[in-house]
Amino acid sequence: MKKSFAFAAAGLALSALSANASELYTVRTSTQTLVKIDTTTWTFTDIGPLGTGNFDFGDLAFDENGTLYMVTGFAGFNPAFHNLYTVDINT
């Protein structure tokens, strides 16, 4: 049986620099909330609203220093609608 979730799973970001990360992050698009997923228990925890206004979720990624970035992804190719943000995973 497959589970379905009410958030954008395409933008999962590992919280560590290895494939064995114990936490993943994604965005619940219906509320534009950052969500942490514990990969041991598969517990989903809301971290908080992203505060970026209305957007279509694009992707999340960590850099080598542990900074989480988010890019918005509005439909179409107009670069004015694509923004890059840093995301605080603690608030």
Side-chain angles (χ1 to χ4, degrees):
M1 173 186 290
K2 288 187 174 181
K3 293 183 180 180
S4 61
F5 302 102
F7 60 87
L12 294 174
L14 297 173
S15 65
L17 299 177
S18 73
N20 296 325
S22 62
E23 296 175 342
L24 300 173
Y25 292 88
T26 191
V27 173
R28 180 176 292 115
T29 56
S30 62
T31 59
Q32 298 175 351
T33 302
L34 182 67
V35 177
K36 178 173 64 174
I37 304 167
D38 181 317
T39 61
T40 303
T41 63
W42 291 105
T43 302
F44 293 67
T45 304
D46 288 354
I47 302 299
L50 291 165
T52 57
N54 191 20
F55 67 93
D56 288 334
F57 178 59
D59 203 358
L60 293 171
F62 280 95
D63 70 7
E64 66 276 0
N65 298 314
T67 301
L68 180 61
Y69 292 92
M70 180 185 79
V71 63
T72 57
F74 282 96
F77 296 102
N78 185 341
F81 297 117
H82 299 278
N83 297 300
L84 179 65
Y85 299 92
T86 57
V87 179
D88 183 348
I89 63 172
N90 298 306
T91 58

